[in-house]
Amino acid sequence: MLVRKGLRRVPNIARSYHDRSFGYRESRTLQIPDYTASELANRAENAALLRYVDSVRQHGHRAARIDPLDMLERDDVAALDPARYGLEDSEKMYIVDGILWNKQMPEGPRGSKQQGAWKLRDIVTFLREVYVGRIAYEFMHSPSKSERLWFTHLLESEVTRNAVNVEEKKKAWSLMARSETFDHFLQAKFPNLKRYGKEFQFLRLIL
């Protein structure tokens, strides 16, 4: 790019912030497939169920049990009640294609024989296990449709396949406790040396 300075033109050497220099890397673009025609038709047919599922995704974090001691009192979240959306028959079967992202689970969580069909009580249990558990997820406010779909795909298709058993939990706790003890030892032994915090390093130990 050239700019005019007086009577002569000189090159403008100013760089833009993202000009692929100094190790800049473009962020990856999410490629999440959109709804198929059959999924769109099912979403329209089961609009009440869709409203309930989206409400749990949006408000589930308000009821999540994130207090490890269960001392935090939380008010009931009315948006998580399926009866609020006219869903009262817990034994009624619903096709969940395009509503729940259970592509890794061809059958319902309680052994439903009809592929893609779940009982309402199973849907409620499944959603509460995902969004009202010990981890709170808040992502429905994102303006990016691809990001919202990515989160729902990840959370709803992984929850039953990658459940952590008791032995793995004990192993993770042991590694974190030993790391904490070692960190205290370094702090007492070398108080004047600069050390980097171990935050976010627990995951490396567990993996």
Side-chain angles (χ1 to χ4, degrees):
M1 177 180 181
L2 299 178
V3 296
R4 185 176 297 278
K5 182 177 181 181
L7 298 178
R8 29 173 219 165
R9 304 174 72 190
V10 297
N12 181 11
I13 61 175
R15 296 176 180 266
S16 63
Y17 185 74
H18 295 307
D19 61 354
R20 302 176 182 275
S21 62
F22 303 108
Y24 167 72
R25 297 181 180 178
E26 289 186 354
S27 58
R28 292 185 299 175
T29 302
L30 295 176
Q31 298 292 337
I32 303 296
D34 203 353
Y35 303 105
T36 63
S38 61
E39 289 175 342
L40 288 174
N42 185 58
R43 287 165 65 88
E45 181 179 354
N46 296 305
L49 178 64
L50 175 62
R51 289 178 55 210
Y52 167 68
V53 172
D54 282 343
S55 181
V56 175
R57 292 167 178 163
Q58 183 174 359
H59 301 287
H61 68 277
R62 296 165 51 193
R65 297 177 293 115
I66 57 177
D67 180 12
L69 301 179
D70 288 330
M71 298 179 62
L72 181 65
E73 295 184 2
R74 288 181 174 271
D75 297 332
D76 293 335
V77 181
L80 304 182
D81 184 7
R84 187 183 181 94
Y85 309 92
L87 306 173
E88 298 181 351
D89 185 1
S90 61
E91 297 299 319
K92 184 176 180 179
M93 303 293 292
Y94 291 91
I95 303 297
V96 298
D97 292 338
I99 300 177
L100 288 179
W101 298 107
N102 61 321
K103 300 305 181 184
Q104 301 297 331
M105 297 177 293
E107 295 185 354
R110 299 296 181 270
S112 174
K113 297 301 181 182
Q114 184 178 357
Q115 190 173 23
W118 292 16
K119 293 182 179 179
L120 176 60
R121 60 180 174 85
D122 293 334
I123 295 174
V124 173
T125 301
F126 175 76
L127 290 173
R128 295 191 71 88
E129 288 177 354
V130 176
Y131 297 107
V132 195
R134 290 295 185 179
I135 301 178
Y137 302 101
E138 189 176 2
F139 59 90
M140 291 296 287
H141 62 281
S142 173
S144 172
K145 178 182 177 181
S146 295
E147 290 182 359
R148 297 195 303 271
L149 287 177
W150 183 86
F151 272 105
T152 54
H153 275 255
L154 176 69
L155 299 176
E156 295 172 15
S157 62
E158 296 286 338
V159 64
T160 57
R161 295 188 299 113
N162 291 341
V164 181
N165 58 42
V166 177
E167 293 301 324
E168 291 175 337
K169 290 181 179 180
K170 290 181 178 180
K171 179 180 178 181
W173 178 86
S174 175
L175 289 172
M176 290 189 293
R178 291 163 59 187
S179 175
E180 183 77 15
T181 302
F182 183 64
D183 187 68
H184 290 169
F185 166 76
L186 293 178
Q187 175 65 25
K189 192 69 174 179
F190 308 102
N192 297 325
L193 294 181
K194 180 176 178 59
R195 295 182 298 107
Y196 293 95
K198 64 181 183 310
E199 291 80 3
F200 306 108
Q201 300 302 317
F202 288 142
L203 182 59
R204 295 177 178 270
L205 292 174
I206 298 174
L207 294 178

